[in-house]
Amino acid sequence: MILGIGTDLANIERIAATLDRFGDRFRNRVFTEVEQKKAERRKDTAGTYAKRWAAKEACSKALGTGLRMGISWKDMAVSNLRSGQPVMQLTGWAAERLADMTPPGHEAIVHVTLTDDHPWAQAFVVIEARPTGTET
């Protein structure tokens, strides 16, 4: 069953300007260390950050909160499997919100996809609840 859906479109040039203006202050406020290392290794650094920004926005929408109610940017983190597939990890309040919205006897799966076509970066997040086979 689908618990939440969220999408976001980010302007890569706006993220680049924010990085130029605020630098580490912006990076450290919004992105985890793993996300920063990934972005800084890429040729399109701003595009990589923009996709992750969009993913965090999309995830907060899928959680039904937006970026309010105590959710932190770093409570949602994007990394990649060896195949390159993006995955979203939730910690802190975002993980608590996910647990609260997941029905008993189900596990929550957060699906995320990212794309960009300069000057745009887009993310789409679907939160699915799958039966675990145990009822509580």
Side-chain angles (χ1 to χ4, degrees):
M1 104 184 46
I2 303 299
L3 298 179
I5 299 172
T7 188
D8 192 67
L9 186 66
N11 185 290
I12 296 169
E13 292 171 359
R14 180 175 162 245
I15 297 297
T18 302
L19 288 164
D20 288 344
R21 182 170 180 200
F22 297 105
D24 286 343
R25 195 167 111 210
F26 172 66
R27 281 183 200 85
N28 294 331
R29 181 174 155 255
V30 176
F31 301 101
T32 66
E33 188 174 317
V34 170
E35 290 172 313
Q36 290 180 47
K37 285 180 182 178
K38 170 82 173 184
E40 296 300 325
R41 285 193 314 260
R42 302 297 297 264
K43 181 179 177 184
D44 183 12
T45 302
T48 302
Y49 279 122
K51 285 186 280 190
R52 279 148 179 75
W53 170 280
K56 292 166 186 269
E57 287 275 6
C59 186
S60 71
K61 293 171 186 174
L63 289 169
T65 64
L67 285 160
R68 57 182 176 87
M69 297 174 59
I71 200 166
S72 165
W73 287 103
K74 287 183 169 183
D75 285 348
M76 302 165 288
V78 178
S79 62
N80 297 84
L81 300 177
R82 290 180 60 88
S83 65
Q85 176 185 348
V87 291
M88 178 76 70
Q89 297 87 29
L90 303 181
T91 58
W93 193 90
E96 291 174 24
R97 170 68 179 151
L98 181 63
D100 289 345
M101 63 192 283
T102 304
H106 289 74
E107 65 175 334
I109 311 294
V110 180
H111 304 276
V112 61
T113 186
L114 308 172
T115 191
D116 65 294
D117 187 5
H118 196 86
W120 301 106
Q122 184 177 27
F124 193 73
V125 172
V126 175
I127 301 175
E128 171 190 15
R130 289 186 188 161
T132 59
T134 59
E135 293 298 318
T136 45

